[in-house]
Amino acid sequence: MAASVLVIGGGGREHALAWKLAQSTKVSKIYVAPGNGGTEQIATNVPIGFTDVDGLLKFAKENKIDLTVIGQEAASEAGVVNAFQDAGLRIFGPDKAAVQIEASKVFSKDLMNEKRVPTASYKTFTSTKAALEYLRNCSFPQVIKASGLAEGKGVVIAEALPEAEKAIDDIMVKKVFKDAGNSVVIEEFLKGQEVSVHALCDGKNAVLFPTSQDHKQVFDGGKGPNTGGMGVVAPLPWVTDSNLKFIENQVVKPTLEGLKQKNAPFTGCLYPGLMIDGADIKVLEFNARFGDPEAEVYMRLLKSDLYEILISCTEGHLNPAEVKWHPGA
Ligand code: AMP
Ligand code: GLY
């Protein structure tokens, strides 16, 4: 078999996914839409935007794509997975219903609450007035989040009321994140070490990757404003086996179960961002995709054939024994 694969997205993450897929003996051709300078060297870039559902579908049909891999979550939210599945095409990534776990923080917090997944205590608001009234009676810091997708920029850690009021004004009144700010989540500030977890899911089962840590601040020495991530370390030697068991049983499993109960079974990479403070583990957020730059590091560590693993996920029979890692870091 000589498979053609289409990767959707244009970041370092998609370069890493394409790089790993290119090592599969089963893959003969890789396209990346829209791709970047890195993917150009190892695959064929196609100038189709990642939310252009019709354009992507037409391309996949015309080029007889055997597997499409979603890198960018916005593609899932735009309905790419639903359209491909309706057309009988194989695609790895969550559909519109399942991507809600990332695309709506209100949905995700409520699901965690229902399934008793540990997370920061929170309130949700759709009214500016009610949000401000609540904040005026809070102790600080408080964390204010636009509910929708905001490319990781929709979170403000407010040390005091004026900052919180400005955040509400930006998100809900000025609409700097457009409709992503129609609702906000205001939550308790958590301290500790942030950890990234990736769980490959086939709709029912999950296989956890080694844990990793994303370093977000722009300058050396942990200084400067947060970015989407400047670098990642994996695996984390200080995360214990009992921490991992807890993450699998109290975070990943109940979340997948909750999504299934809401008719939103999850196929793809479920990526909870966690705060670990000693024995205390809480979810900061869920992402419905590989992290960037986490994917760059994980693709170097992964020993198994990524193409075969992703095919198993799309067919609903992912086997943990299939996912093997190189030793080292
Ligand atoms: P999110 O998009 O929800 O992951 O938030 C982006 C970043 O904001 C996280 O990676 C954390 O660094 C920080 N953050 C989010 N929620 C909290 C919280 N409840 N307490 C402390 N920091 C947080
Ligand atoms: N590295 C953080 C993210 O992918 O959201």
Side-chain angles (χ1 to χ4, degrees), residues 13 196 214 216 228-229 232 271 285 287 289-294:
R13 167 182 52 205
S196 299
D214 183 10
K216 291 179 193 291
V232 164
Y271 156 17
E285 62 159 351
N287 298 305
R289 53 175 174 78
F290 291 98
D292 192 349
E294 283 85 343

Side-chain angles (χ1 to χ4, degrees), residues 25 78 108 123 162 205 217 225 271 278 304:
T25 52
S108 128
K123 292 250 183 273
N205 305 304
Q217 284 171 303
Y271 156 17
S304 309

Side-chain angles (χ1 to χ4, degrees), residues 85-294:
Q85 285 172 344
D86 290 348
L89 296 179
R90 191 198 294 278
I91 185 161
F92 172 86
D95 67 6
K96 244 177 147 162
V99 80
Q100 289 287 98
I101 194 73
E102 171 166 7
S104 165
K105 289 196 195 285
V106 172
F107 174 93
S108 128
K109 292 296 285 192
D110 289 350
L111 186 141
M112 284 189 259
N113 200 23
E114 281 165 33
K115 301 303 292 181
R116 299 186 180 280
V117 173
T119 187
S121 58
Y122 71 105
K123 292 250 183 273
T124 63
F125 297 92
T126 49
S127 140
T128 311
K129 189 163 163 269
L132 289 172
E133 246 168 51
Y134 173 77
L135 284 165
R136 282 176 191 134
N137 295 303
C138 276
S139 60
F140 282 85
Q142 289 286 324
V143 184
I144 297 159
K145 304 182 173 187
S147 178
L149 292 179
E151 293 180 339
K153 299 180 191 98
V155 175
V156 174
I157 296 169
E159 299 292 343
L161 183 61
E163 248 179 285
E165 287 173 334
K166 182 176 179 312
I168 293 294
D169 188 55
D170 285 344
I171 297 170
M172 300 185 86
V173 181
K174 296 204 178 87
K175 289 278 166 104
V176 294
F177 306 113
K178 309 210 172 75
D179 287 350
N182 288 351
S183 358
V184 294
V185 171
I186 301 179
E187 69 178 33
E188 166 199 10
F189 175 79
L190 300 175
K191 61 180 179 49
Q193 292 273 339
E194 274 192 70
V195 170
S196 299
V197 170
H198 281 44
L200 275 185
C201 306
D202 68 2
K204 304 183 287 285
N205 305 304
V207 174
L208 267 64
F209 287 14
T211 50
S212 68
Q213 190 163 41
D214 183 10
H215 292 262
K216 291 179 193 291
Q217 284 171 303
V218 72
F219 301 128
D220 286 351
K223 296 203 172 65
N226 273 2
T227 64
M230 296 300 290
V232 164
V233 175
L236 300 177
W238 55 270
V239 176
T240 64
D241 287 347
S242 100
N243 290 155
L244 280 174
K245 278 219 157 53
F246 182 91
I247 294 164
E248 181 161 15
N249 294 325
Q250 311 297 326
V251 175
V252 175
K253 282 189 180 158
T255 302
L256 291 178
E257 195 182 278
L259 283 163
K260 219 158 91 189
Q261 285 162 354
K262 291 181 186 296
N263 288 322
F266 191 96
T267 301
C269 179
L270 183 70
Y271 156 17
L274 305 177
M275 193 68 98
I276 303 189
D277 186 22
D280 193 28
I281 300 182
K282 290 202 171 95
V283 175
L284 288 172
E285 62 159 351
F286 277 104
N287 298 305
R289 53 175 174 78
F290 291 98
D292 192 349
E294 283 85 343

